[in-house]
Amino acid sequence: AMDGAPPPPSPSGLSAYVAVSQLLGLTLLGTTGAWLGRYRGGVAWHSPLQFNAHPLCMVLAMVFLQGDALLVYRVFRHEAKRSTKALHVLLHGLALVIALVGIIAVFESHRAKGIPDMYSLHSWCGMATFVLYLLQWFLGCGFFLFPGASFSLRGWYKPQHVFFGITLFILSITSCLLGITEMLLFNISDSYSHFVPEGILANTLGVLLVAFGLVVGYVLTREEWKRPPLAEELALSMDFKTLTEGESPGG
């Protein structure tokens, strides 16, 4: 596009699906808060309610913020690649910090109540997802944010980064679903089968998590909705390849 010309419009349907994803994301956050506030007493640090910070932080960080970080390259299609990349990294980094707070909350709560750690399937899947997510973030920064990696190495790693990004998002939602089920069985196991309001609300949260994941996944896997490379990005990539690989730009 010529300087001063308006950017081309987003592909048909993309804006609508992104808007739906954000509506679902805000709704699932509100539903999580309503569940914890109405039926679990709310959230408070260094108190018997400290555990409740765990589900709130994990839904916010590992689902909503992670999903939005994955959507950055679809939403900001015509902004500078460096700015878009920085936002992608920052959202994932913020998700890591908030998730760490949630993990600290559950360990401290278990310690205060004398509950053993890391024995359930939810805890195994959740901790593995967090550790792999942290590793993915460091590898992404090393390959794409800081100089040093060769063009061919970046080209090799990019498909792995994309695959594991989507995989970790799926694992995060799965871990949340396991955690919701575990909380319900611990707290209302005697009445859960009677369709009590808390069980219905928590099940609704689970459905919202799945719906959010499906909408985000659909946006990410539509080939025609991928961010097109800008002209200056193609030129920079060719220059970078020439400098690091010793190839001629027209090779």
Side-chain angles (χ1 to χ4, degrees), residues 14 18 34 62 93 98 104 117-118 133 167 190 202-203 213 223 225 229 234 237 239 246 249:
L14 174 59
V18 171
M62 299 300 289
I98 295 175
I104 292 172
D117 297 315
M118 299 300 301
Y133 188 50
T167 299
D190 294 336
N203 286 352
E223 189 71 23
W225 288 354
L234 292 173
S237 296
D239 291 342

Side-chain angles (χ1 to χ4, degrees), residues 123-171:
S123 62
W124 286 19
C125 291
M127 186 58 71
T129 301
F130 177 78
V131 172
L132 291 174
Y133 188 50
L134 180 62
L135 178 62
Q136 167 91 338
W137 187 78
F138 277 119
L139 287 174
C141 289
F143 276 98
F144 302 118
L145 192 62
F146 303 111
S150 68
F151 188 87
S152 59
L153 194 58
R154 289 185 182 188
W156 169 83
Y157 179 67
K158 184 178 179 180
Q160 328 303 322
H161 186 75
V162 172
F163 170 77
F164 283 108
I166 297 176
T167 299
L168 288 169
F169 182 59
I170 295 172
L171 289 175

